[in-house]
Amino acid sequence: MTKSLGPAARPGHINPTVVEVEGGFLNAMGLPNPGVEGYLEELRELKHWGVPVVASFFASTVEEFQSGAKALCGAGADALELNLSCPNVGGEPGMCAADVISVERVTAAVKQVAKSPVFVKLSPNVTDIVGIAVAAENGGADAITAVNTLKAMVIDADFRRPVLANVTGGLSGPALKPVALRCVWEIAEAVKVPIIGCGGVSNWRDAVEYMLAGATAVEIGTGVMYEGLEVYGKVNEGIAGYLRENGFGSVKEIVGLAHRK
Ligand code: DHB
């Protein structure tokens, strides 16, 4: 999974952009990236590693979303993830994920041109995430990623100032998990497309909880800060152990199992 790519190169926000809090991290990077075009060569190189590459991207107009999708699929992205939910960039793509009509329109426009599956990553910073998830499904999303970071802030009592230069940032890590798990649960009751759980996964138990809530897969970001890159292998092995010890033949058998009445 790449850091989100946009239509043009961006330096991002000035420091401080990351601060650790109890139960996680806040970040307000400001979507720094070399731009879709500037990243294509690296994307082609990544393809040599023999693992699927998901290109996360954002844009501010439907046309830019379409041209980004075409370029990234052309360079071999195995899937696209629309980041409609960065909490730190005003105006722009920012909170497109808060608007049912935009989410459906952008998703449908990207699906029209994308050769690879399209995931739509949603924000927890909305009143009704289920309505947004249904809009993504109606737009033709192949999967829904739930969720992006929760808007938050930290103030330093000694300096009497917000810590992040951007004032607010996105909360990730263990503190986000119960919120994200609730989002996955509610979305699972409303859509048929697969859900990718995201928020505070750092061990196999977290991943299994997301699957029981209805996720088919999970993403791990902040977990790497705590566990290192080994986290991915450890989570995979842990899930396999859980399935074996509890008599399940496949993760498919536990997806959504906690909903069973
Ligand atoms: C940023 C982007 C995100 O999608 C997010 O959840 C948090 C931070 C950023 O680049 O600022």
Side-chain angles (χ1 to χ4, degrees), residues 5 19 34 38 44 65 70 84 98 108 114 127 150 171 188 205 224 227 255 257:
L5 302 159
V19 55
R44 289 192 196 96
F65 267 106
K70 279 187 210 161
L84 305 184
T127 314
L150 194 56
L171 173 68
R205 201 170 266 282
V224 176
E227 302 291 328
V255 172
L257 201 55

Short mmCIF file of all heavy atoms in Angstrom, two decimals, residues 5 19 34 38 44 65 70 84 98 108 114 127 150 171 188 205 224 227 255 257:
data_model
loop_
_atom_site.label_atom_id
_atom_site.label_comp_id
_atom_site.label_asym_id
_atom_site.label_seq_id
_atom_site.Cartn_x
_atom_site.Cartn_y
_atom_site.Cartn_z
N LEU A 5 -1.19 9.14 -3.15
CA LEU A 5 -0.62 9.92 -4.24
C LEU A 5 -1.68 10.88 -4.78
O LEU A 5 -2.85 10.52 -4.84
CB LEU A 5 -0.17 8.98 -5.36
CG LEU A 5 0.86 7.93 -4.92
CD1 LEU A 5 0.88 6.74 -5.87
CD2 LEU A 5 2.24 8.58 -4.81
N VAL A 19 2.87 13.13 16.48
CA VAL A 19 3.05 13.14 17.93
C VAL A 19 2.44 11.87 18.51
O VAL A 19 1.36 11.45 18.09
CB VAL A 19 2.44 14.42 18.57
CG1 VAL A 19 0.98 14.62 18.21
CG2 VAL A 19 2.60 14.40 20.09
N PRO A 34 5.09 12.58 -4.21
CA PRO A 34 5.73 13.09 -5.43
C PRO A 34 4.77 13.29 -6.60
O PRO A 34 5.21 13.63 -7.70
CB PRO A 34 6.75 11.98 -5.75
CG PRO A 34 6.13 10.73 -5.19
CD PRO A 34 5.33 11.15 -3.99
N GLY A 38 5.08 11.36 -10.80
CA GLY A 38 6.41 11.26 -10.19
C GLY A 38 6.63 9.94 -9.46
O GLY A 38 7.75 9.64 -9.05
N ARG A 44 6.43 0.79 -10.70
CA ARG A 44 6.85 -0.29 -11.60
C ARG A 44 7.92 -1.14 -10.94
O ARG A 44 7.95 -2.37 -11.09
CB ARG A 44 7.36 0.27 -12.93
CG ARG A 44 6.25 0.84 -13.78
CD ARG A 44 6.69 1.14 -15.22
NE ARG A 44 5.73 2.02 -15.84
CZ ARG A 44 5.84 3.35 -15.93
NH1 ARG A 44 6.93 3.96 -15.49
NH2 ARG A 44 4.90 4.07 -16.49
N PHE A 65 -9.35 12.36 -10.65
CA PHE A 65 -9.48 10.99 -10.13
C PHE A 65 -9.35 9.99 -11.27
O PHE A 65 -8.68 8.96 -11.15
CB PHE A 65 -10.83 10.80 -9.41
CG PHE A 65 -10.78 11.05 -7.92
CD1 PHE A 65 -11.32 12.18 -7.36
CD2 PHE A 65 -10.17 10.12 -7.07
CE1 PHE A 65 -11.27 12.41 -5.99
CE2 PHE A 65 -10.11 10.34 -5.69
CZ PHE A 65 -10.66 11.49 -5.15
N LYS A 70 -6.17 5.89 -14.25
CA LYS A 70 -5.62 5.34 -15.50
C LYS A 70 -4.12 5.16 -15.40
O LYS A 70 -3.56 4.12 -15.77
CB LYS A 70 -5.93 6.28 -16.67
CG LYS A 70 -7.33 6.15 -17.22
CD LYS A 70 -7.46 7.02 -18.48
CE LYS A 70 -8.88 7.49 -18.63
NZ LYS A 70 -9.06 8.65 -19.50
N LEU A 84 -10.57 9.08 0.30
CA LEU A 84 -11.56 10.17 0.28
C LEU A 84 -11.65 10.79 1.65
O LEU A 84 -12.59 11.49 1.97
CB LEU A 84 -12.93 9.62 -0.12
CG LEU A 84 -13.01 8.84 -1.42
CD1 LEU A 84 -14.45 8.44 -1.72
CD2 LEU A 84 -12.46 9.68 -2.58
N ALA A 98 -17.43 12.71 3.31
CA ALA A 98 -18.57 13.09 4.16
C ALA A 98 -19.83 13.28 3.33
O ALA A 98 -20.90 13.49 3.87
CB ALA A 98 -18.25 14.37 4.91
N ALA A 108 -17.91 5.85 -9.05
CA ALA A 108 -18.39 5.40 -10.36
C ALA A 108 -17.46 5.88 -11.47
O ALA A 108 -17.16 5.14 -12.41
CB ALA A 108 -19.81 5.92 -10.60
N ALA A 114 -10.92 2.29 -14.40
CA ALA A 114 -9.92 1.47 -13.71
C ALA A 114 -9.92 0.03 -14.23
O ALA A 114 -10.96 -0.57 -14.41
CB ALA A 114 -10.20 1.47 -12.20
N THR A 127 -21.29 11.70 10.45
CA THR A 127 -22.45 11.34 11.28
C THR A 127 -22.93 9.94 10.94
O THR A 127 -23.31 9.17 11.82
CB THR A 127 -23.60 12.34 11.02
OG1 THR A 127 -23.04 13.65 11.05
CG2 THR A 127 -24.68 12.21 12.05
N LEU A 150 -9.07 9.28 12.91
CA LEU A 150 -10.09 10.08 13.61
C LEU A 150 -9.48 11.45 13.92
O LEU A 150 -8.39 11.53 14.51
CB LEU A 150 -10.44 9.33 14.89
CG LEU A 150 -11.67 9.69 15.70
CD1 LEU A 150 -12.95 9.62 14.86
CD2 LEU A 150 -11.79 8.71 16.88
N LEU A 171 -5.91 10.56 14.38
CA LEU A 171 -5.54 9.58 15.41
C LEU A 171 -5.56 8.18 14.83
O LEU A 171 -6.55 7.77 14.22
CB LEU A 171 -6.54 9.67 16.58
CG LEU A 171 -6.42 8.60 17.67
CD1 LEU A 171 -5.13 8.77 18.47
CD2 LEU A 171 -7.62 8.65 18.61
N ALA A 188 -20.96 -3.72 7.72
CA ALA A 188 -21.18 -5.13 7.35
C ALA A 188 -22.67 -5.47 7.33
O ALA A 188 -23.10 -6.35 6.58
CB ALA A 188 -20.44 -6.05 8.32
N ARG A 205 -4.92 -11.02 17.23
CA ARG A 205 -6.21 -10.93 17.92
C ARG A 205 -7.02 -9.73 17.39
O ARG A 205 -8.22 -9.83 17.16
CB ARG A 205 -5.95 -10.81 19.43
CG ARG A 205 -7.11 -11.19 20.29
CD ARG A 205 -6.68 -11.27 21.76
NE ARG A 205 -6.31 -12.62 22.16
CZ ARG A 205 -7.20 -13.56 22.43
NH1 ARG A 205 -8.49 -13.34 22.34
NH2 ARG A 205 -6.79 -14.77 22.78
N VAL A 224 3.12 -1.06 12.66
CA VAL A 224 4.53 -1.18 12.30
C VAL A 224 5.40 -0.34 13.26
O VAL A 224 6.54 -0.71 13.56
CB VAL A 224 4.77 -0.74 10.84
CG1 VAL A 224 6.24 -0.75 10.47
CG2 VAL A 224 3.98 -1.63 9.89
N GLU A 227 5.56 -2.76 16.37
CA GLU A 227 6.03 -4.14 16.20
C GLU A 227 7.08 -4.31 15.11
O GLU A 227 7.60 -5.40 14.94
CB GLU A 227 4.84 -5.06 15.87
CG GLU A 227 3.72 -5.05 16.92
CD GLU A 227 4.14 -5.69 18.23
OE1 GLU A 227 4.96 -6.63 18.19
OE2 GLU A 227 3.67 -5.24 19.29
N VAL A 255 -15.49 -14.63 8.89
CA VAL A 255 -15.88 -13.27 8.48
C VAL A 255 -17.34 -13.01 8.86
O VAL A 255 -18.24 -13.72 8.41
CB VAL A 255 -15.67 -13.06 6.96
CG1 VAL A 255 -16.26 -11.72 6.51
CG2 VAL A 255 -14.19 -13.12 6.63
N LEU A 257 -18.78 -13.53 11.68
CA LEU A 257 -19.34 -14.56 12.58
C LEU A 257 -19.98 -13.98 13.85
O LEU A 257 -20.94 -14.53 14.37
CB LEU A 257 -18.22 -15.55 12.97
CG LEU A 257 -18.65 -16.93 13.47
CD1 LEU A 257 -19.56 -17.62 12.47
CD2 LEU A 257 -17.42 -17.78 13.75
#
